[in-house]
Amino acid sequence: MARGKALDDEILTDSTYYIPLALAKPNHGYGVMQDIEFFSKGTVVIGPASLYTILKKLQNAELIKLVADEERRKTYGLTPKGKNILQKDIQRRKMMVEHGLRVLKQLEAGGE
């Protein structure tokens, strides 16, 4: 799947998943980066340049919106469309984990 196509198909990549997850409550850029590190237990780190590029893409796709623009801090929040897509993607990922657990069980049992 092409990188730009994922949002068109309403499928979130790992980065575009963690950012809306961190915006379940309004949050600013640095807070988003901290939340992503916390949620992922440090396995996903998004730097400022990538973060603001993705925030712009998510805004253009109308998944997030600017809720406050203070002098030195912008605060973002999810749109209804963003909430819907995030909920769908959480369900999709949940199903992927369930499939993976079944296969893992087979592998551990020595099955083919």
Side-chain angles (χ1 to χ4, degrees):
M1 165 186 333
R3 289 182 135 221
K5 187 112 172 74
L7 284 179
D8 293 341
D9 292 340
E10 297 184 348
I11 295 172
L12 303 177
T13 63
D14 289 348
S15 297
T16 59
Y17 167 77
Y18 273 111
I19 292 171
L21 197 64
L23 292 173
K25 60 178 181 3
N27 207 346
H28 53 85
Y30 183 68
V32 169
M33 290 189 297
Q34 288 180 310
D35 284 352
I36 290 169
E37 283 192 56
F38 174 77
F39 292 149
S40 72
K41 297 184 178 165
T43 61
V44 176
V45 177
I46 299 176
S50 295
L51 174 70
Y52 288 101
T53 297
I54 296 167
L55 286 172
K56 191 62 156 172
K57 287 179 183 179
L58 293 171
Q59 278 185 286
N60 289 340
E62 299 178 344
L63 302 186
I64 67 168
K65 63 183 175 185
L66 192 60
V67 294
D69 190 355
E70 299 166 9
E71 186 177 324
R72 294 183 51 135
R73 179 179 287 181
K74 292 182 179 184
T75 302
Y76 300 89
L78 288 176
T79 64
K81 179 181 177 182
K83 288 177 187 177
N84 183 42
I85 290 173
L86 180 60
Q87 288 170 328
K88 285 181 184 176
D89 204 71
I90 290 169
Q91 292 302 319
R92 180 182 72 86
R93 288 170 185 270
K94 200 170 143 184
M95 187 172 47
M96 290 170 63
V97 168
E98 290 168 4
H99 294 156
L101 290 172
R102 273 190 244 136
V103 170
L104 186 60
K105 197 178 221 179
Q106 290 173 352
L107 293 172
E108 289 171 348
E112 294 182 23

